[in-house]
Every structure is written in structure tokens, then in C-alpha cells.
Amino acid sequence: MIPRYSREAMARIWSEENKFAAWLKVELAVMEALAEAGLIPPEVPARARRAARCDAACVLAIEKETHHDVAAFVDHVAESLGEDGRYFHYGLTSSDVLDTALGLLLTQSADLLLAGLDELLTVLRDKAYAYRDLVMVGRTHGVHAEPITLGLKFALWYAEFQRQRERLAAARETVRVGKLSGAVGTFAHLPPEVEAGVCARLGLIPAPLATQIIQRDRHAHYLTTLALIGTSIEKVALEIRHLQRTEVREAEEPFGAKQKGSSAMPHKRNPVLSENLCGLARVLRGNALTALENVALWHERDISHSSAERIIFPDSNILLDFMLHRLKNLVANLVVYPEKMAANLAASRGLVFSQSLLLALVHKGLSRDAAYRLTQRVAMQVWEEGGTFPERVKADPDIRRHLSEAELEELFDLKHHLRHVPTLFHRVFGN
């Protein structure tokens, strides 16, 4: 089992050595299923397992002559089997091996990505509870709206990555398939029982029907899921970038003691980690588009998808694994400035309570339009003439005709706005 995270873990899955190891695993499982079906001598599989050798460098050297990777692999391994080599790759076409092995590689990759999502979810949950009651201003269109808490942001992201985890688990099952049905999917040379036996040995599910290849809608599902996860990563990174803007500065990325933000301006502390993540998400979306283009092929198969898949499968899996690790560390070490959050909340001078006043006036019997106009008039005075919203509201005779001092104090209480935060946390995290 490959450990959860090192910079090489996902790369090893997509190495040439691991790819050929997966091909060999498929081929040896086929020999066992063939023997079980009585199609080859029963003693062959055990001898083959003992004798089989596969050196990636040798396969690649042979491929330079054959110009066919599977043919080079078969020639190399069959030679190590001696007389039993006649039964190696028996009744198979190249895509039987390639696509069944691909199911193994994608399953390994998905397991690593799921573990990465679990680590990120743990960090998001911890941050949500740590900042559950830290009040800050909520913004819509980039403009102050109403109070929220920083914990709600983390809880929102947690809920989204939970959905992404469910999507990835489903996509993992979509690609956890194998096929050994031959050149056009008709089992002309091997019975379906062999395919079933091989898939059972490998932990895969037989594709109900295939052509020469497993149909690429499955792989498009997987790669669009990776792109979706990348887009959620971008969403978090973009928010951190906004929070780090000089005018906002409510949170920022960690900045190392010897780190330099700019070659020209020594004062700079730029959100480079978040910016990197936003850029890399675009690569995942581009690869997902390529996977969608791979679905439609000529008749029972062409190889227009094959060359692209040599790039998009390893790149997308390796890239998302990196992005999950980077975001986890970024969130875990995010620097938060509660004092700046309080100052920014105060900067709009109580205008965040405007809807509370509107609804209170409606409750007192005013029409919605009349209540809106009355509230807006006072709010515009704050924008244009200064003062605070609570002060101007309390001094306005038209409003005071409907609301008492005590009622107004309750309207301007942050606790009134945030009283349902525990309920929202319960919805996201349960008990």
C-alpha cells in the first residue's frame, strides 16, 4: 500500500514500472483463469508467477523496435517464461490488458485522493469549530451585507468537500472495471467466465458490454470529478486571496521568516499559494474537456483517445493530489486577524442591520415598500453624510414612532443575527 502523502506517492502509481507491474498482474490473473477454465495446463500459472520477469527499461528498449508498447511488453515477459510463454497474452487484445490495468491504476489513485480529501476535511472541521463564533462581515458583490462568522466559511467549505468526496467515491466505482472481451467485445476467443474470474481476482467489476475498449464516458466521469474537486479548491483559494487584500486583510497565508514576496518590493506578502491553486484548477478543467472529447470514437475503437490519456490521467491525478496537500497545509496554517475583522465590520457603521429594521417596520404594520423607503433613506444618509446607522435610526422621528429604544437595541444586537449558527453547524457536522 502506498503511504498517504509524499511528493512521490501518486507519481509512483503512474510510473512506467508500476504501469508494467499492473499489466503483468492482469496477464498472470488471465493465465490463472484460463487454467481454471481448462483452456491451458493447470500447472502453467504457478510456474509463470515464479518465472515472470518484467524490466521497464527492457520493455522500452524493445518498443523502439516494435513501435507497440504492449507487443514489446508481451515479447519481453514471454521470453522469461520459456515454453510457457506460448500461453502468455493468450486470446487477448492489447486493450484488454491496457484498460483492465487502467482500472487498477485509477482505483489506486482514487484511494489516495480520497485519503487526501479526508485529511482536508479534518482540517476544515477543526477550523470551523475553532472560529465558529468569530464574527466578521459577510459580503455580497464584494460589498458589506450582514454579519456572519469565520467558522461558517469553513463549515461551508467542509460541506462542499464532503459532496466532492461522495462524487469521487462514485467515480472510483465507475472506473473500477475490467474487460477481456477481445478485439470488438464479443468474447470471440475467450469465454466471459475468464473475464469474470480475472476481475474477481483483481478487485474489479466486469464491464457489462465493451467494444475493443471500456467506454470512455466512465473515464470522463472520473476526470470531470477531479476537475470539480479542483474547482472547489480554487473557490477556497480565491476567498483567501480576497481576505488577504491590503484593504481587507482579515486573513492571510503563512509567510516564512526567510520568504520574499517580491524581488522589487520588500514589503510584499503575496497570496502565491492560493494563486497557484487557482491556476492549477484551470489545468484540471482543460484535461476534463479532453476526457469528454475522448468519449466519441470511430465504430468499435480508434486510438485518438489513447495519446491524450497518456497525459491527462497521470497529470490530473498527480496534480489534484498536490493541490489537496497544498490546500490542507494552507488552511491549517492560515493566519487570522480578529481585530481587523471587527474593524471592517464596524467600517460600514451599522448598515449591516438594515434588513432587521426593514422587517421590524413591516411587522409593525408598514407596507414593505414604505418600510424599505424609510430604512433606505436613513442608510443613504449614513453613506453620504456620516454617522452610524443605529444613531441615525434612533434619532429619526418617523422610525421612533413605530419602534421603542429596547426594540431597536435588540435589532442592532449581533447575537440576533447569529443565533442559528449552532443549528447550521448541526446540519453540517451532526451531533
Side-chain angles (χ1 to χ4, degrees):
M1 178 65 184
I2 294 174
R4 159 59 200 121
Y5 193 83
S6 70
R7 289 186 179 274
E8 298 80 23
M10 185 68 82
R12 281 203 300 275
I13 291 177
W14 293 96
S15 67
E16 291 290 279
E17 290 78 9
N18 194 56
K19 178 184 74 174
F20 293 138
W23 291 5
L24 184 58
K25 190 173 184 178
V26 172
E27 293 274 13
L28 293 174
V30 169
M31 296 181 83
E32 290 174 349
L34 288 171
E36 194 173 77
L39 296 175
I40 66 173
E43 65 276 6
V44 167
R47 285 202 304 259
R49 282 201 176 275
R50 290 192 299 269
R53 297 290 181 272
C54 181
D55 181 270
C58 289
V59 174
L60 295 174
I62 297 170
E63 185 185 355
K64 291 181 180 179
E65 298 177 355
T66 63
H67 299 288
H68 193 294
D69 52 358
V70 177
F73 163 79
V74 171
D75 290 347
H76 172 61
V77 178
E79 184 178 7
S80 70
L81 300 182
E83 288 296 315
D84 290 335
R86 73 184 75 180
Y87 302 115
F88 192 75
H89 202 65
Y90 182 89
L92 302 178
T93 191
S94 296
S95 290
D96 288 334
V97 178
L98 293 173
D99 279 4
T100 302
L102 180 59
L104 294 175
L105 299 181
L106 290 176
T107 302
Q108 292 175 23
S109 298
D111 288 341
L112 202 56
L113 294 175
L114 287 167
L117 279 167
D118 287 340
E119 292 184 4
L120 175 60
L121 286 165
T122 297
V123 172
L124 289 172
R125 183 187 64 227
D126 291 346
K127 291 293 183 179
Y129 276 100
Y131 297 115
R132 190 186 77 162
D133 301 317
L134 179 55
V135 182
M136 64 186 299
V137 69
R139 298 172 174 90
T140 58
H141 304 275
V143 178
H144 285 201
E146 291 185 343
I148 62 170
T149 74
L150 180 59
L152 285 174
K153 282 188 184 288
F154 287 109
L156 181 79
W157 297 336
Y158 178 93
E160 183 160 339
F161 279 104
Q162 277 279 43
R163 294 192 296 275
Q164 298 292 22
R165 193 192 191 288
E166 292 169 2
R167 292 183 181 112
L168 181 56
R172 177 188 186 275
E173 291 306 295
T174 301
V175 295
R176 190 174 64 88
V177 292
K179 65 84 62 178
L180 298 164
S181 52
V184 291
T186 58
F187 292 101
H189 306 291
L190 292 179
E193 291 77 16
V194 169
E195 178 186 80
V198 170
C199 287
R201 286 173 168 82
L202 299 176
L204 302 176
I205 300 169
L209 183 62
T211 57
Q212 189 174 107
I213 61 170
I214 292 172
Q215 300 306 284
R216 260 41 195 178
D217 64 289
R218 293 177 179 272
H219 306 86
H221 177 198
Y222 182 84
L223 286 182
T224 52
T225 298
L226 300 198
L228 268 173
I229 297 171
T231 300
S232 291
I233 291 173
E234 179 185 19
K235 172 181 178 175
V236 176
L238 183 64
E239 180 67 13
I240 292 172
R241 289 169 62 190
H242 281 310
L243 293 176
Q244 188 165 335
R245 287 184 298 125
T246 305
E247 296 81 0
V248 179
R249 202 161 181 267
E250 294 176 349
E252 70 174 345
E253 296 179 359
F255 193 85
K258 296 184 178 181
Q259 186 173 341
K260 294 183 178 181
S262 166
S263 63
M265 296 170 284
H267 73 279
K268 296 282 280 178
R269 288 154 67 118
N270 300 326
V272 292
L273 302 178
S274 300
E275 289 172 336
N276 291 164
L277 290 172
C278 290
L280 295 175
R282 299 168 190 169
V283 177
L284 290 176
R285 290 194 289 272
N287 287 352
L289 177 59
T290 302
L292 291 169
E293 296 288 344
N294 283 347
V295 174
L297 302 174
W298 284 25
H299 303 298
E300 279 60 56
R301 186 218 178 181
D302 64 59
I303 62 167
S304 59
H305 67 291
S306 178
S307 54
E309 287 178 354
R310 293 170 188 259
I311 300 170
I312 61 177
F313 284 140
D315 281 11
S316 291
N317 283 285
I318 293 169
L319 182 55
L320 182 58
D321 186 59
F322 168 79
M323 292 171 70
L324 286 169
H325 179 68
R326 166 161 285 188
L327 182 63
K328 179 197 72 174
N329 287 337
L330 173 54
V331 171
N333 297 291
L334 188 70
V335 181
V336 176
Y337 299 108
E339 297 83 2
K340 191 61 189 292
M341 289 182 178
N344 286 343
L345 179 60
S348 51
R349 304 189 299 278
L351 289 171
V352 294
F353 298 110
S354 68
Q355 184 173 192
S356 295
L357 177 60
L358 163 67
L359 295 177
L361 291 171
V362 169
H363 185 68
K364 290 293 184 176
L366 276 70
S367 71
R368 181 176 178 84
D369 185 63
Y372 190 100
R373 296 294 181 185
L374 185 55
T375 303
Q376 187 182 47
R377 186 190 73 197
V378 179
M380 293 304 108
Q381 290 172 353
V382 175
W383 277 118
E384 295 161 9
E385 301 172 17
T388 71
F389 187 65
E391 290 170 349
R392 286 191 173 273
V393 167
K394 292 175 182 179
D396 190 287
D398 294 328
I399 294 175
R400 291 304 303 271
R401 189 178 300 120
H402 302 285
L403 294 166
S404 68
E405 181 86 15
E407 289 173 320
L408 290 174
E409 287 296 332
E410 184 179 354
L411 293 181
F412 301 139
D413 188 346
L414 286 170
K415 293 179 182 178
H416 177 76
H417 274 269
L418 303 173
R419 65 193 183 279
H420 296 304
V421 169
T423 300
L424 294 171
F425 267 63
H426 178 75
R427 286 183 174 185
V428 174
F429 300 108
N431 293 321

